[in-house]
Amino acid sequence: MDWPASYTRGMRRPFVGGNWKMNTGAESAPALAAATVTEVGDAARACDVVVFPPACFLIPVRSALGDAAVGLGAQDVSSEANGAHTGDISAEMLKEIGATWAIIGHSERRRDHGEGDHVVAQKLEMALESGLRAVLCVGETLEERKAGQAHQVTARQLRAACASIRAEQMHDVVIAYEPVWAIGTGVSATPQDAAEAHRMIRRELGILYSPELAQAVRIVYGGSLNAANAAAILADPGIDGGLIGGASLKAGDFAQVVRTAAARGQPQGRH
Ligand code: PEP
């Protein structure tokens, strides 16, 4: 398969996403977007940077981002194209208002909305078929980790989500390894554990697709990543950036993570 120049072996462009979750307001969302653009500055030239505000603020955030090199994404997307699905937002609707990314399979949606592997797979398929790019979240709970099932659970989620995804579509997927016990807790995975999980996911991608594809797909870490621990966690060459919750609400902290990721000196690409 042909991959763009920015995806040749060992040259994965870093990715850093800011998942604002159910935070910010009508004034603070565009203000945070503007501050993020300012703080990130030139670092966005060497790193894909995407913010994921609450759905109701996507349009004002898009305006605040202007033509800056910071992308816009939704925190979720419907598995359906249109019709009687109260409260859902389709991939086409997101595209229409300027979003180009969607987070899919975040553990908070799996937990709060009972989204299982099947729904996650349907959402990923719908997003990609519609032309959105996706951050696919996988990762184990504390109980699963204590039971020694961390890799098994993460691999199962990955296999299920990718079951209907063609190799060429994986170009539009960033995988976020997010151990659930590290999300919003202030306790991140150790750099060693994060690196090992990323290696396992890359091995799985190699089995599911090909070794070449496994080397080309970006895998990022999420779970209490912040300005203070980013350098240690992102030091591993197999970790291509991060998905950040809490620290993305502070533009300066978020930008520090972006700079850390960008410093890996990767080529330019799309945002
Ligand atoms: C997340 O929700 O994707 C996340 C990583 O959150 P936090 O950084 O707050 O742990």
Side-chain angles (χ1 to χ4, degrees):
M1 177 191 323
D2 288 339
W3 292 91
S6 56
Y7 291 88
T8 51
R9 186 181 170 86
M11 297 285 280
R12 295 179 299 270
R13 180 173 161 85
F15 173 98
V16 175
N19 175 11
W20 297 358
K21 309 194 185 193
M22 202 165 69
N23 295 299
T24 67
E27 285 184 14
S28 60
L32 178 58
T36 298
V37 168
T38 303
E39 292 282 345
V40 166
D42 279 353
R45 292 161 65 94
C47 178
D48 281 354
V49 182
V50 183
V51 292
F52 297 86
C56 54
F57 302 134
L58 280 165
I59 291 174
V61 166
R62 184 202 59 198
S63 302
L65 293 175
D67 58 6
V70 173
L72 180 66
Q75 297 173 15
D76 181 40
V77 61
S78 177
S79 59
E80 303 296 327
N82 53 42
H85 304 288
T86 303
D88 284 352
I89 301 176
S90 74
E92 288 299 332
M93 292 170 181
L94 292 174
K95 277 173 53 189
E96 209 173 319
I97 59 166
T100 54
W101 289 85
I103 295 175
I104 294 175
H106 193 283
S107 61
E108 286 156 14
R109 293 214 54 94
R110 293 180 193 255
R111 179 197 68 199
D112 296 349
H113 299 273
E115 290 186 8
D117 288 346
H118 183 62
V119 173
V120 171
Q122 287 180 322
K123 289 187 171 192
L124 183 61
E125 193 177 357
M126 175 59 75
L128 296 176
E129 290 292 344
S130 306
L132 285 178
R133 281 172 272 167
V135 179
L136 169 67
C137 300
V138 294
E140 81 285 356
T141 63
L142 187 58
E143 293 68 38
E144 290 162 342
R145 185 173 189 81
K146 282 182 176 162
Q149 296 171 344
H151 288 192
Q152 196 182 323
V153 167
T154 302
R156 186 207 73 222
Q157 292 173 341
L158 179 71
R159 282 195 295 267
C162 293
S164 305
I165 306 305
R166 300 184 303 279
E168 67 271 19
Q169 292 179 300
M170 289 301 288
H171 169 239
D172 288 329
V173 178
V174 168
I175 295 166
Y177 168 64
E178 298 210 308
V180 179
W181 46 270
I183 295 179
T185 60
V187 181
S188 68
T190 64
Q192 294 74 18
D193 283 350
E196 173 54 26
H198 281 63
R199 278 194 290 278
M200 182 280 294
I201 291 170
R202 224 175 275 291
R203 271 199 306 274
E204 276 297 321
L205 287 172
I207 295 165
L208 287 173
Y209 295 99
S210 69
E212 293 74 24
L213 182 141
Q215 288 301 323
V217 171
R218 291 174 292 182
I219 308 174
V220 303
Y221 170 79
S224 298
L225 189 62
N226 57 40
N229 61 21
I233 292 178
L234 302 185
D236 187 274
I239 302 181
D240 301 316
L243 183 60
I244 304 169
S248 69
L249 298 173
K250 293 185 193 136
D253 288 9
F254 181 70
Q256 180 55 43
V257 182
V258 172
R259 280 193 293 275
T260 304
R264 296 161 55 124
Q266 304 294 348
Q268 298 191 18
R270 302 178 303 169
H271 63 80

